[in-house]
Amino acid sequence: MEGTNNRHEEEEIMDVRSVVEAICTDDDSAPVYQVESLCMRCHENGVTKFLLTLIPHFRKILLSAFECPHCGERNNEVQFAGEIQPRGSIYRVEFTSGDQKMLNRQVVKSETATIKIPQLEFEIPPEAQRGSLSTVEGILLRASEELQALQDERKKVDPQIAEAIDKFILKLKACATGNTAFTFIIDDPAGNSFVENPFAPSSDPSLSIEFYERTHEQQASLGYQPIPSEVANEAVVPNNVEPHGSVGAVAGRRAIAQGNSAEIAEALFRYTAPEEVMTFPSTCGACAVSCETRMFVTKIPYFQEVIVMASSCDACGYRNSELKSGGAIPAKGNKVSVSVKNIRDLSRDVIKSDTASVIIPEIDLELTSGTLGGIVTTVEGLVTKISEALERVHGFTFGDSLEEGRKDKWQDFRARLIKLLSLEEPWTLIMDDALANSFIAPACDDIKDDHQLTIEEYERSWEQNEELGLNDMDTSTADAAYNSTNDS
C-alpha cells in the first residue's frame, strides 16, 4: 500500500512538472507545495499543488495544478509572481487558411489579458479565462468547449440563441483547425503575455508586437493608485478635449535608454559634464511609493542634445534610467550602419532607442523596434545583450518536444552571433530608427573621416507616422503662443 501511495503522489507532482517541462525551466529541483482545496464541482476536498519557478520574459511565475479524487476534476493555472511590466503589450498574429502547423504557437496568457478575433467579433475578457500556458489552437478549442457546455440548457430556454451559438462554435472550430483565415490578438495591460515566434531569431512576417502606455483606468485595474496631481488635472480638463501635446508626445519622447544610471552617466560624461543636476519628486513605477528623480541635459557630438533622467526607490530597490531626445521631433528618420572590422569598432558607443530596429545581415538577424527596449552601450555590448536575450527565450524553444532541426538552428545561430565578437570576418551593424534617436559614435574626431560609418536619412511613411502618433499631432496652439510671445 505504501508503494502505491508513493506512486500516486509522484503522479500528482508530475501534473505540475509537466507544465514546467512545457516551458523548459532549468530548475528541476524546485520544491512542490500542496494544500487541501475545495472542489467547486462536487464540493469535496481535493489537492492543489504549487510550484514557483522562473520562465523567460516573465521572471517568476506560480504554477498550480488541482485534482479532486472524488469526481476527477482537474485543472491548472499560471499566475505571475514577478513585477508588472512598464508598458502594456499587444500581440497580433495573422493566420492563413490551411496553416494548421502555425496554430501550435505557444501562448502565455496572463490573468489581465484579453483575447480577440476581429473577424468573428469574438472576445475573451480577462475574467473569462484565467492565466494559462497553452497554444493558439488550445485556447480556441477551450473557448469552444466552454460555449458548448451550456448549450443543452440554452436550447430549453431560447432555441434561437442556442442555434446561433452552434453556428458560431463551428466558425470558432474552423479557426482552431486552420480551415479559415483569422487574426489572433492578445492585449495585456500588464505586459506579461507572450506569443511564440516559431521563426526566431529571424523575424516573423505574421506576428506584430505593439507596446503602449496604460490609461488611468488600466492602471487602476492593475492595482495602481492614481497620482493626486493627475486626478486634479483630469478634473480640470473636459472629457471631450485632448490635452495639448498628449497625442504622439509619448512616442516622440520615448526613452532611448533604460539601465543602470551609473553606467549611462559614465558613458555620457565622456562627451560633456552636466552644468546642473535637477531633482524633483516622482512615483516609483514598481510599488507606487514616492521617490526622487534626477535630471540633467548634455550634448553628444554629431548627435543631438539629450536629457538624462534617473530614479531609484528606497522602498523596493527599483531603479530606472531614461535618456530622452531633446528639441523637436526630427522631420526624417535615419538608418545608421557601421562596418565592424577591428577591436576599436567593438568599442564604439551605441545609443539604441526604443523605436529602432537592429539588423545584422551576415547572420540574417533582424530585431524589430521595441525589442530589447532602449539601451546605452557599445557595439560589443549590444551583441552581448542580444545573446543574453536569446538565452532567456530558450525556455520556449529547448523543450523535449522540440524538433531536432529547430534546436540545431538555434544553437548554430547563437554560435554565429558570438563569433561576430571574434572578428574573424567583417560584419555590418545597422540601426533603422524612424525618429532618428539612435546613434553610433565615430571612431575618429571628425565623423567625415570615418568611412566605415554611414548615416542615411529618409522620409517616414504614413504608416510609420501613424504608429508614432505624429499624424494626429496638432502644434497649432503652441505655435500661435510662441509667435505671439516673439511678436510682443
Side-chain angles (χ1 to χ4, degrees), residues 406-417:
R406 290 185 61 189
K407 182 182 292 187
D408 292 341
K409 176 184 175 182
W410 270 99
Q411 292 174 338
D412 176 65
F413 178 82
R414 184 177 180 277
R416 287 192 293 150
L417 184 64

Side-chain angles (χ1 to χ4, degrees), residues 117-134:
I117 301 179
Q119 290 84 351
L120 302 181
E121 297 183 358
F122 178 62
E123 179 175 317
I124 305 176
E127 59 272 10
Q129 282 192 6
R130 297 171 296 178
S132 62
L133 175 65
S134 184

Side-chain angles (χ1 to χ4, degrees), residues 313-363:
C313 179
D314 296 333
C316 67
Y318 176 76
R319 299 178 67 187
N320 179 55
S321 298
E322 295 179 314
L323 190 146
K324 300 175 181 290
S325 59
I329 295 176
K332 298 180 179 180
N334 71 4
K335 182 183 292 186
V336 186
S337 61
V338 61
S339 177
V340 182
K341 299 179 179 180
N342 51 51
I343 296 295
R344 189 178 181 185
D345 293 327
L346 291 177
S347 302
R348 292 174 183 259
D349 291 325
V350 172
I351 295 178
K352 177 201 169 297
S353 83
D354 202 20
T355 56
S357 61
V358 178
I359 304 170
I360 302 179
E362 287 78 5
I363 60 173

Side-chain angles (χ1 to χ4, degrees), residues 303-304 328-336 355 432-438 455-461 464-465 468 470:
F303 185 42
Q304 59 187 14
I329 295 176
K332 298 180 179 180
N334 71 4
K335 182 183 292 186
V336 186
T355 56
D432 189 345
D433 191 347
L435 284 179
N437 283 335
S438 296
I455 301 176
E456 176 188 349
E457 292 188 339
Y458 61 87
E459 296 287 344
R460 285 189 292 266
S461 65
Q464 287 176 316
N465 284 330
L468 297 170
L470 301 179

